[in-house]
Amino acid sequence: NAGVMQNPRHLVRRRGQEARLRCSPMKGHSHVYWYRQLPEEGLKFMVYLQKENIIDESGMPKERFSAEFPKEGPSILRIQQVVRGDSAAYFCASSPFVGRQANEKLFFGSGTQLSVL
Amino acid sequence: AQTVTQSQPEMSVQEAETVTLSCTYDTSESDYYLFWYKQPPSRQMILVIRQEAYKQQNATENRFSVNFQKAAKSFSLKISDSQLGDAAMYFCAYVETSGSRLTFGEGTQLTVNP
């Protein structure tokens, strides 16, 4: 059973371009979480999704950022018109459960490092 | 809002010695989980140890153990017999049992000297 797969591992974009980050959860996991890690900081929650539903997007910036987790395929974090401040590592985590059990079966991917020139 | 504070940006330890990393948190909840994650230069987030708040017994995983003081809202990590491979950034994290979002501290960079 492969772990949480994120790609690309590194992504370079120029200001104003779009960035699309992909996360394939572990097999059987229907709960996906996205976190952002700015340089020299801890991870900050962005969004929690289940298949075809956004459950909690309270950590997402109001503009330019969106996320989806379709019925088929990976979860996508999309950043439109990137700015230098978007440069960060973006992590995805997945779980097969919600609530107490989720906290015992949460696995992280290796992250995507986004660099905005 | 819940907060997690790691007051030691950097720590160092000699190989084979013991080191303790500090973490405090603030919450009004009574049922929650606390975690220590290790992030080596590869950037992978590796779960080191997990503690459920309702369990009074401190969690232990081989050379890693915690000192969980619920009343003081303190959750320190002790690494015994430190190894070179323990060098990494360590993050303390909190989540409500019924919640879905982890709150992380700012991290402690651990250096292990040979």
Side-chain angles (χ1 to χ4, degrees), chain B residues 2-114:
Chain B
Q2 290 81 13
T3 58
V4 177
T5 302
Q6 294 178 247
S7 59
Q8 306 155 315
E10 299 176 349
M11 290 284 284
S12 63
V13 62
Q14 291 296 126
E15 197 175 1
E17 297 291 305
T18 296
V19 64
T20 298
L21 308 183
S22 301
C23 173
T24 58
Y25 59 95
D26 186 25
T27 182
S28 58
E29 301 293 327
S30 60
D31 196 9
Y32 49 87
Y33 281 77
L34 295 162
F35 307 85
W36 278 99
Y37 280 92
K38 172 185 177 182
Q39 187 180 46
S42 67
R43 208 172 58 213
Q44 178 74 43
M45 292 293 285
I46 302 166
L47 178 64
V48 175
I49 202 164
R50 174 179 53 230
Q51 176 80 43
E52 294 182 67
Y54 75 88
K55 290 187 177 178
Q56 295 184 350
Q57 186 173 7
N58 289 324
T60 299
E61 289 287 343
N62 300 315
R63 298 182 295 107
F64 299 88
S65 61
V66 299
N67 183 6
F68 174 47
Q69 301 289 329
K70 191 172 184 179
K73 296 180 182 174
S74 171
F75 183 61
S76 60
L77 174 69
K78 185 172 82 171
I79 306 174
S80 303
D81 186 26
S82 297
Q83 301 176 359
L84 295 177
D86 295 333
M89 181 72 85
Y90 286 81
F91 291 99
C92 179
Y94 162 99
V95 67
E96 294 174 23
T97 299
S98 59
S100 57
R101 48 190 297 175
L102 288 164
T103 300
F104 286 85
E106 297 298 306
T108 296
Q109 181 67 50
L110 177 66
T111 301
V112 180
N113 301 309

